Amino acid sequence: MSGIGRVRVAVVFGGRSAEHAISCVSAGSVMAALDPERYEVVPVGIARDGRWVLADAGQRLAIDGGRLPEVTGGTAVSLVGDPAGRGLAVLGSGGDGHPAAIGPALTEVDVVFPVLHGTYGEDGTIQGLLEMSGLPYVGSGVFASAASMDKEFTKKLLAAAGLPQGDHVVLRDAEGALTADPDALSAADRERLGLPVFVKPSRAGSSIGITKVTDWSQFPEAVAAAAAVDPKVVVEASVPGREVECGVLAGRDGGPPEASLPAEIRLKPGTDWYDFDAKYLDDAVEFDVPADLTPEQTRRVQAASRRAYLAMDCEGLARVDFFLGTGPDGRERLVVNEVNTMPGFTPISMFPRMWAASGVSYPELVDRLVASALARAGRPGDQRTSR
């Protein structure tokens, strides 16, 4: 049981997506930032096969010498679907050795921090599960999570809000399209998009499954790589410009969303583009936090970030990624690339670093997110007592 006044936070991490390891690293940072005098942390790992476990104390949650962490052992648990249960229960073992009967209740939970990236986590699935279980949680709801995870629908919603997008084509059932026609992209589309293009799974993150295509002969293999992650594939024209990001937080006391100072990602010489290795494993990029922008450029990025957050119906937090460059007319152009409803929280992740540069420390950032989740549910965290 938690002590009087402490908020019990279930930090859920790992998951079934290709971003399993990055989720583990993010969760390690979040748990370290939760003040033990104010919070009781319940570490819940989801293994790659979907098993939920109360993570062992020795669970590694950092990249060590290039080795990525992974959820392994722990006590088998399950989320209680009945809202009256408000938490987790220990799974008993059936006669065949598989988890079956529900054992005694493990704990009630005040709020869930689902530090999950990618499918089965950031895409509305766990948000729906938590809604049915009656548990408050950090981050956006079902719709915003699902729409922001799907690059096609992100683009549609942002375009409807008047936010500029890069040119792109969506290939549905991409594997089948390739089988039937190796030239799945029409000649007119190729001419319009030009080279290079980026071929991406529509519903994935951390640059997993993405290929930069500089010659059309590479295109079938690039689509196959993306389709191995998601059968819907987005082909995007390259947008020349600086890569700029901005963090958004729900406003205090129900106020309008707040935007951080922007940051810029700069590739070191010899790095072609910002792929998975460049993000997490190689010393291949430099970060300017805050970005070297004029006051007017900063204002434009922050305003567009808040507009994107609202257009996607986000809650709690988001990171909005942009390209800042020059359009065909010679005028400066700000193009939205993606909206991330659960951005990385690793020690090198841009979201916490941007907020630190804006005067919000990592522990304060986590506090605000938990408080925002409890406020949305009408459950002030300081009113909880032990049971």
Side-chain angles (χ1 to χ4, degrees):
M1 292 185 180
S2 65
I4 293 176
R6 287 206 301 171
V7 177
R8 189 175 281 134
V9 183
V11 178
V12 182
F13 59 91
R16 295 166 59 186
S17 84
E19 297 175 77
H20 178 103
I22 303 308
S23 170
C24 292
V25 179
S26 290
S29 299
V30 168
M31 288 190 282
L34 287 165
D35 182 355
E37 293 189 2
R38 299 180 56 199
Y39 302 105
E40 179 183 357
V41 176
V42 180
V44 180
I46 302 179
R48 291 185 184 275
D49 62 3
R51 291 177 296 111
W52 289 46
V53 298
L54 183 64
D56 292 333
Q59 170 71 57
R60 183 169 59 89
L61 295 173
I63 298 174
D64 181 14
R67 281 195 312 134
L68 298 174
E70 181 175 352
V71 174
T72 52
T75 303
V77 295
S78 178
L79 192 66
V80 177
D82 183 349
R86 302 208 60 80
L88 300 160
V90 175
L91 282 177
S93 181
D96 58 0
H98 292 91
I102 301 295
L106 169 66
T107 182
E108 282 195 355
V109 171
D110 292 307
V111 62
V112 177
F113 201 134
V115 193
L116 294 163
H117 307 312
T119 51
Y120 299 106
E122 198 179 350
D123 59 353
T125 50
I126 195 168
Q127 289 77 16
L129 182 61
L130 294 170
E131 292 279 359
M132 294 182 68
S133 299
L135 289 172
Y137 57 92
V138 170
S140 292
V142 175
F143 173 78
S145 298
S148 298
M149 187 70 197
D150 191 315
K151 294 176 177 62
E152 177 189 6
F153 289 98
T154 297
K155 294 176 186 298
K156 288 181 176 179
L157 289 169
L158 294 180
L163 289 160
Q165 312 291 299
D167 201 356
H168 64 280
V169 171
V170 176
L171 302 179
R172 299 178 186 279
D173 189 21
E175 272 189 303
L178 278 180
T179 301
D181 179 10
D183 298 319
L185 202 64
S186 72
D189 285 336
R190 294 186 185 207
E191 183 176 356
R192 189 181 78 255
L193 294 174
L195 286 171
V197 294
F198 289 87
V199 180
K200 304 179 177 182
S202 187
R203 294 158 289 203
S206 294
S207 298
I208 292 169
I210 299 180
T211 303
K212 180 180 180 180
V213 171
T214 57
D215 187 285
W216 289 116
S217 64
Q218 304 165 343
F219 184 70
E221 184 177 351
V223 174
V229 179
D230 184 354
K232 183 165 66 171
V233 171
V234 177
V235 185
E236 296 180 347
S238 178
V239 181
R242 300 163 66 181
E243 293 196 40
V244 177
E245 300 183 346
C246 188
V248 184
L249 282 176
R252 297 180 186 271
D253 301 320
E258 301 173 15
S260 72
L261 289 172
E264 181 175 1
I265 301 164
R266 292 186 294 107
L267 300 179
K268 292 183 179 180
T271 303
D272 190 31
W273 63 284
Y274 197 37
D275 61 5
F276 181 91
D277 286 352
K279 285 181 177 179
Y280 300 112
L281 300 178
D282 299 336
D283 183 22
V285 294
E286 294 177 337
F287 304 104
D288 293 334
V289 187
D292 183 15
L293 302 174
T294 67
E296 175 59 20
Q297 288 172 325
T298 296
R299 185 199 66 78
R300 287 183 60 210
V301 169
Q302 290 176 323
S305 297
R306 290 190 291 266
R307 285 176 61 197
Y309 177 94
L310 293 172
M312 300 303 298
D313 203 25
C314 293
E315 295 178 277
L317 74 161
R319 193 194 73 225
V320 187
D321 303 344
F322 299 92
F323 295 112
L324 177 62
T326 303
D329 58 0
R331 300 176 62 183
E332 185 175 85
R333 182 173 68 151
L334 185 65
V335 174
V336 181
N337 183 30
E338 292 185 2
V339 176
N340 296 270
T341 54
M342 187 53 68
F345 273 85
T346 72
I348 64 168
S349 293
M350 297 293 272
F351 187 82
R353 291 181 64 183
M354 287 187 289
W355 279 108
S358 305
V360 181
S361 68
Y362 198 118
E364 184 183 355
L365 177 63
V366 173
D367 283 344
R368 283 191 60 173
L369 292 171
V370 172
S372 175
L374 289 168
R376 292 204 312 271
R379 300 185 66 215
D382 60 359
Q383 294 182 5
R384 188 187 191 282
T385 58
S386 62
R387 292 175 57 89

